[in-house]
Amino acid sequence: EAQVTQNPRYLITVTGKKLTVTCSQNMNHEYMSWYRQDPGLGLRQIYYSMNVEVTDKGDVPEGYKVSRKEKRNFPLILESPSPNQTSLYFCASSSGPNTEAFFGQGTRLTVV
Amino acid sequence: AQSVTQLGSHVSVSEGALVLLRCNYSSSVPPYLFWYVQYPNQGLQLLLKYTSAATLVKGINGFEAEFKKSETSFHLTKPSAHMSDAAEYFCAVKAGNMLTFGGGTRLMVKP
């Protein structure tokens, strides 16, 4: 089954404790992205990647890092999480720049 | 730069009534437009997409949307609402590598 898998689905952490949210896709897609969803703001793009070792900033990259060492994986790293990063995070992948994106189930992160 | 505006963060309709969810966009290049639906505690699922082939686009679950370049709009409609349509709907525009979403519209369906 074609899918985008995120882990964990739920995470509660404390301010400053580094964390990683994993994302993996099995569709051999070149494009992968991370979004955060906040009420009234829709989804905002954090980072995206066009291929292995190629990443770029989206609209809200501050406080986040990504890496793309393998085509299927695109982890999101928060080196020093802060409460304003409490949000619902989605990973997505697509086969090309203007094709539909397939989304993971989301990761609800709470930073206290 | 591109942006998406969804008019109405909440829309309530009666079961069987017309559903109309509004979306206006701005884009400096010819856009690709999408509507996604999000059910509670789930990710986003594609409803339909406009990729310049036809201005009236039919999607899943009886939804359709019409691209109107002169109005920079891509409104989503369904002739008859069903209780299972209750969800949050997002309009999105993609140009190049950037996918930009509107703020979302929560659709409520009354029995």
Side-chain angles (χ1 to χ4, degrees), chain A residues 9 31 35 37 40-43 45 48 50 58-59 88 90 94 96-101 103-105, chain B residues 32 34 36 38 41-46 49 51 88 90 94-104:
Chain A
R9 291 289 309 278
Y31 288 77
Y35 299 85
Q37 182 181 12
L41 297 177
L43 282 79
Q45 193 174 54
Y48 62 92
M50 292 165 282
D59 293 323
L88 179 58
F90 287 99
S94 59
N98 291 315
T99 57
E100 67 191 79
F103 285 82
Q105 292 290 84
Chain B
Y32 290 82
F34 305 85
Y36 285 87
Q38 184 180 33
N41 300 313
Q42 294 190 26
L44 277 73
Q45 177 184 356
L46 182 71
K49 61 182 178 183
T51 56
E88 189 155 20
F90 293 93
K94 193 163 190 185
N97 297 315
M98 294 293 292
L99 181 61
T100 302
F101 286 85

Side-chain angles (χ1 to χ4, degrees), chain A residues 8-19:
Chain A
R9 291 289 309 278
Y10 301 91
L11 179 59
I12 301 175
T13 190
V14 296
T15 299
K17 185 176 181 181
K18 181 179 178 180
L19 65 91

Side-chain angles (χ1 to χ4, degrees), chain B residues 51-65:
Chain B
T51 56
S52 77
T55 57
L56 183 62
V57 183
K58 294 189 184 300
I60 62 171
N61 301 338
F63 284 93
E64 62 181 38

Side-chain angles (χ1 to χ4, degrees), chain B residues 9-24:
Chain B
S9 59
H10 292 79
V11 170
S12 180
V13 301
S14 297
E15 192 172 19
L18 171 71
V19 175
L20 170 61
L21 304 183
R22 298 179 187 274
C23 172
N24 288 88

